[in-house]
Tab-separated table of all heavy atoms in Angstrom:
chain	number	residue	atom	x	y	z
C	478	GLU	N	139.282	23.456	153.907
C	478	GLU	CA	139.591	24.819	153.470
C	478	GLU	C	138.317	25.610	153.205
C	478	GLU	O	138.245	26.799	153.481
C	478	GLU	CB	140.481	24.802	152.221
C	478	GLU	CG	141.846	24.197	152.442
C	478	GLU	CD	142.687	24.967	153.446
C	478	GLU	OE1	142.530	26.195	153.565
C	478	GLU	OE2	143.520	24.342	154.109
C	479	ARG	N	137.313	24.960	152.684
C	479	ARG	CA	136.038	25.632	152.420
C	479	ARG	C	135.362	26.048	153.726
C	479	ARG	O	134.852	27.153	153.839
C	479	ARG	CB	135.133	24.719	151.617
C	479	ARG	CG	133.826	25.356	151.254
C	479	ARG	CD	133.074	24.511	150.248
C	479	ARG	NE	131.890	25.218	149.838
C	479	ARG	CZ	130.672	24.749	149.994
C	479	ARG	NH1	130.472	23.571	150.518
C	479	ARG	NH2	129.641	25.461	149.598
C	480	VAL	N	135.385	25.163	154.705
C	480	VAL	CA	134.817	25.487	156.012
C	480	VAL	C	135.561	26.676	156.628
C	480	VAL	O	134.949	27.616	157.140
C	480	VAL	CB	134.859	24.261	156.953
C	480	VAL	CG1	134.528	24.653	158.384
C	480	VAL	CG2	133.905	23.193	156.452
C	481	PHE	N	136.887	26.652	156.577
C	481	PHE	CA	137.682	27.741	157.120
C	481	PHE	C	137.364	29.060	156.414
C	481	PHE	O	137.175	30.099	157.049
C	481	PHE	CB	139.176	27.424	156.992
C	481	PHE	CG	140.057	28.561	157.408
C	481	PHE	CD1	140.168	28.911	158.749
C	481	PHE	CD2	140.758	29.283	156.468
C	481	PHE	CE1	140.966	29.970	159.137
C	481	PHE	CE2	141.558	30.345	156.839
C	481	PHE	CZ	141.669	30.691	158.183
C	482	ALA	N	137.277	29.039	155.111
C	482	ALA	CA	136.996	30.252	154.343
C	482	ALA	C	135.619	30.805	154.676
C	482	ALA	O	135.443	32.022	154.785
C	482	ALA	CB	137.103	29.966	152.845
C	483	ARG	N	134.641	29.944	154.866
C	483	ARG	CA	133.294	30.401	155.200
C	483	ARG	C	133.244	31.028	156.587
C	483	ARG	O	132.472	31.942	156.831
C	483	ARG	CB	132.308	29.244	155.101
C	483	ARG	CG	132.098	28.788	153.660
C	483	ARG	CD	131.157	27.667	153.580
C	483	ARG	NE	129.804	28.191	153.733
C	483	ARG	CZ	128.742	27.432	153.824
C	483	ARG	NH1	128.851	26.135	153.812
C	483	ARG	NH2	127.557	27.972	153.939
C	484	GLN	N	134.071	30.545	157.508
C	484	GLN	CA	134.081	31.082	158.867
C	484	GLN	C	134.870	32.377	158.972
C	484	GLN	O	134.586	33.209	159.825
C	484	GLN	CB	134.658	30.053	159.833
C	484	GLN	CG	133.763	28.859	160.030
C	484	GLN	CD	134.426	27.769	160.840
C	484	GLN	OE1	135.624	27.794	161.079
C	484	GLN	NE2	133.636	26.795	161.260
C	485	LEU	N	135.849	32.555	158.119
C	485	LEU	CA	136.735	33.711	158.192
C	485	LEU	C	135.966	35.027	158.128
C	485	LEU	O	136.244	35.951	158.870
C	485	LEU	CB	137.767	33.641	157.061
C	485	LEU	CG	138.845	34.702	157.049
C	485	LEU	CD1	139.669	34.632	158.332
C	485	LEU	CD2	139.747	34.513	155.853
C	486	PHE	N	135.003	35.140	157.254
C	486	PHE	CA	134.226	36.363	157.110
C	486	PHE	C	132.751	36.121	157.469
C	486	PHE	O	131.864	36.692	156.859
C	486	PHE	CB	134.363	36.912	155.697
C	486	PHE	CG	135.701	37.530	155.455
C	486	PHE	CD1	136.738	36.783	154.933
C	486	PHE	CD2	135.942	38.839	155.797
C	486	PHE	CE1	137.979	37.343	154.734
C	486	PHE	CE2	137.177	39.410	155.608
C	486	PHE	CZ	138.204	38.661	155.080
C	487	ALA	N	132.517	35.313	158.481
C	487	ALA	CA	131.149	34.967	158.852
C	487	ALA	C	130.700	35.633	160.143
C	487	ALA	O	129.768	35.179	160.774
C	487	ALA	CB	131.007	33.449	158.964
C	488	THR	N	131.346	36.724	160.536
C	488	THR	CA	130.894	37.409	161.732
C	488	THR	C	129.535	38.039	161.467
C	488	THR	O	129.161	38.296	160.313
C	488	THR	CB	131.895	38.496	162.165
C	488	THR	OG1	131.980	39.471	161.138
C	488	THR	CG2	133.267	37.907	162.454
C	489	CYS	N	128.818	38.296	162.518
C	489	CYS	CA	127.465	38.842	162.392
C	489	CYS	C	127.451	40.147	161.607
C	489	CYS	O	126.618	40.341	160.724
C	489	CYS	CB	126.871	39.033	163.782
C	489	CYS	SG	125.165	39.581	163.755
C	490	ASP	N	128.398	41.052	161.911
C	490	ASP	CA	128.400	42.338	161.214
C	490	ASP	C	128.712	42.186	159.724
C	490	ASP	O	128.138	42.890	158.892
C	490	ASP	CB	129.345	43.341	161.873
C	490	ASP	CG	130.728	42.787	162.157
C	490	ASP	OD1	130.872	41.566	162.245
C	490	ASP	OD2	131.659	43.589	162.303
C	491	LEU	N	129.568	41.250	159.360
C	491	LEU	CA	129.865	41.048	157.934
C	491	LEU	C	128.715	40.358	157.212
C	491	LEU	O	128.454	40.641	156.039
C	491	LEU	CB	131.172	40.287	157.757
C	491	LEU	CG	132.423	41.082	158.164
C	491	LEU	CD1	133.662	40.217	157.998
C	491	LEU	CD2	132.548	42.371	157.385
C	492	ARG	N	127.996	39.483	157.901
C	492	ARG	CA	126.794	38.893	157.294
C	492	ARG	C	125.740	39.971	157.070
C	492	ARG	O	125.061	39.992	156.045
C	492	ARG	CB	126.248	37.763	158.160
C	492	ARG	CG	127.068	36.492	158.078
C	492	ARG	CD	126.346	35.296	158.678
C	492	ARG	NE	125.823	35.517	160.016
C	492	ARG	CZ	126.477	35.245	161.148
C	492	ARG	NH1	127.683	34.717	161.094
C	492	ARG	NH2	125.924	35.462	162.317
C	493	GLU	N	125.612	40.881	158.038
C	493	GLU	CA	124.671	41.993	157.878
C	493	GLU	C	125.095	42.898	156.730
C	493	GLU	O	124.259	43.379	155.962
C	493	GLU	CB	124.574	42.799	159.172
C	493	GLU	CG	123.869	42.076	160.285
C	493	GLU	CD	123.910	42.860	161.593
C	493	GLU	OE1	124.141	44.088	161.560
C	493	GLU	OE2	123.712	42.243	162.644
C	494	MET	N	126.405	43.149	156.614
C	494	MET	CA	126.907	43.971	155.517
C	494	MET	C	126.572	43.322	154.173
C	494	MET	O	126.088	43.984	153.255
C	494	MET	CB	128.424	44.165	155.621
C	494	MET	CG	128.999	45.013	154.497
C	494	MET	SD	130.804	45.027	154.396
C	494	MET	CE	131.249	45.795	155.931
C	495	PHE	N	126.821	42.032	154.057
C	495	PHE	CA	126.522	41.290	152.836
C	495	PHE	C	125.047	41.447	152.471
C	495	PHE	O	124.712	41.760	151.323
C	495	PHE	CB	126.882	39.816	153.048
C	495	PHE	CG	126.544	38.928	151.889
C	495	PHE	CD1	127.450	38.738	150.856
C	495	PHE	CD2	125.333	38.262	151.837
C	495	PHE	CE1	127.141	37.899	149.791
C	495	PHE	CE2	125.018	37.431	150.776
C	495	PHE	CZ	125.923	37.252	149.750
C	496	ALA	N	124.170	41.254	153.454
C	496	ALA	CA	122.727	41.359	153.207
C	496	ALA	C	122.342	42.781	152.797
C	496	ALA	O	121.535	42.973	151.876
C	496	ALA	CB	121.950	40.932	154.453
C	497	TRP	N	122.918	43.782	153.469
C	497	TRP	CA	122.605	45.170	153.126
C	497	TRP	C	123.063	45.485	151.703
C	497	TRP	O	122.335	46.120	150.943
C	497	TRP	CB	123.258	46.142	154.117
C	497	TRP	CG	122.872	47.557	153.819
C	497	TRP	CD1	121.779	48.222	154.271
C	497	TRP	CD2	123.560	48.469	152.954
C	497	TRP	NE1	121.748	49.497	153.742
C	497	TRP	CE2	122.828	49.670	152.928
C	497	TRP	CE3	124.729	48.384	152.195
C	497	TRP	CZ2	123.225	50.782	152.185
C	497	TRP	CZ3	125.135	49.484	151.445
C	497	TRP	CH2	124.379	50.668	151.446
C	498	ILE	N	124.260	45.059	151.358
C	498	ILE	CA	124.787	45.327	150.017
C	498	ILE	C	123.861	44.735	148.961
C	498	ILE	O	123.526	45.395	147.979
C	498	ILE	CB	126.226	44.783	149.874
C	498	ILE	CG1	127.193	45.653	150.686
C	498	ILE	CG2	126.651	44.721	148.409
C	498	ILE	CD1	128.592	45.075	150.803
C	499	GLN	N	123.415	43.514	149.172
C	499	GLN	CA	122.532	42.896	148.187
C	499	GLN	C	121.170	43.579	148.123
C	499	GLN	O	120.593	43.715	147.048
C	499	GLN	CB	122.352	41.414	148.493
C	499	GLN	CG	123.555	40.593	148.103
C	499	GLN	CD	123.221	39.127	148.023
C	499	GLN	OE1	122.587	38.573	148.920
C	499	GLN	NE2	123.654	38.501	146.951
C	500	ALA	N	120.662	44.020	149.267
C	500	ALA	CA	119.324	44.616	149.307
C	500	ALA	C	119.301	46.082	148.869
C	500	ALA	O	118.326	46.533	148.273
C	500	ALA	CB	118.752	44.506	150.720
C	501	ALA	N	120.363	46.835	149.150
C	501	ALA	CA	120.309	48.289	148.983
C	501	ALA	C	121.152	48.838	147.837
C	501	ALA	O	121.107	50.037	147.580
C	501	ALA	CB	120.722	48.963	150.290
C	502	THR	N	121.908	47.985	147.180
C	502	THR	CA	122.769	48.485	146.105
C	502	THR	C	122.499	47.726	144.813
C	502	THR	O	121.859	46.683	144.811
C	502	THR	CB	124.262	48.359	146.478
C	502	THR	OG1	124.629	46.981	146.540
C	502	THR	CG2	124.560	49.049	147.808
C	503	SER	N	123.024	48.260	143.744
C	503	SER	CA	122.816	47.679	142.421
C	503	SER	C	124.054	46.882	141.989
C	503	SER	O	125.176	47.241	142.352
C	503	SER	CB	122.574	48.816	141.433
C	503	SER	OG	122.700	48.372	140.115
C	504	PRO	N	123.879	45.827	141.196
C	504	PRO	CA	125.038	45.077	140.699
C	504	PRO	C	126.027	45.929	139.903
C	504	PRO	O	127.191	45.567	139.780
C	504	PRO	CB	124.416	44.003	139.809
C	504	PRO	CG	123.049	43.805	140.367
C	504	PRO	CD	122.613	45.179	140.827
C	505	SER	N	125.608	47.063	139.410
C	505	SER	CA	126.521	47.923	138.665
C	505	SER	C	127.318	48.874	139.570
C	505	SER	O	128.240	49.538	139.100
C	505	SER	CB	125.758	48.741	137.627
C	505	SER	OG	124.829	49.593	138.269
C	506	ASP	N	126.985	48.935	140.857
C	506	ASP	CA	127.696	49.818	141.783
C	506	ASP	C	129.115	49.321	142.029
C	506	ASP	O	129.356	48.122	142.136
C	506	ASP	CB	126.960	49.911	143.121
C	506	ASP	CG	125.671	50.712	143.028
C	506	ASP	OD1	125.588	51.581	142.139
C	506	ASP	OD2	124.763	50.465	143.831
């Protein structure tokens, strides 16, 4: 189940989104 969950949202664009959110936004946003 963990492997499946990690693959579900592991597309390149969603990984890029994750990285952008962490780099460009604040935890309070």
Side-chain angles (χ1 to χ4, degrees):
E478 296 297 330
R479 182 170 185 239
V480 169
F481 174 71
R483 291 180 77 186
Q484 291 172 348
L485 185 61
F486 287 92
T488 62
C489 184
D490 49 338
L491 291 178
R492 285 193 309 268
E493 289 175 20
M494 180 191 296
F495 177 88
W497 183 87
I498 288 170
Q499 284 197 313
T502 68
S503 165
S505 62
D506 288 334

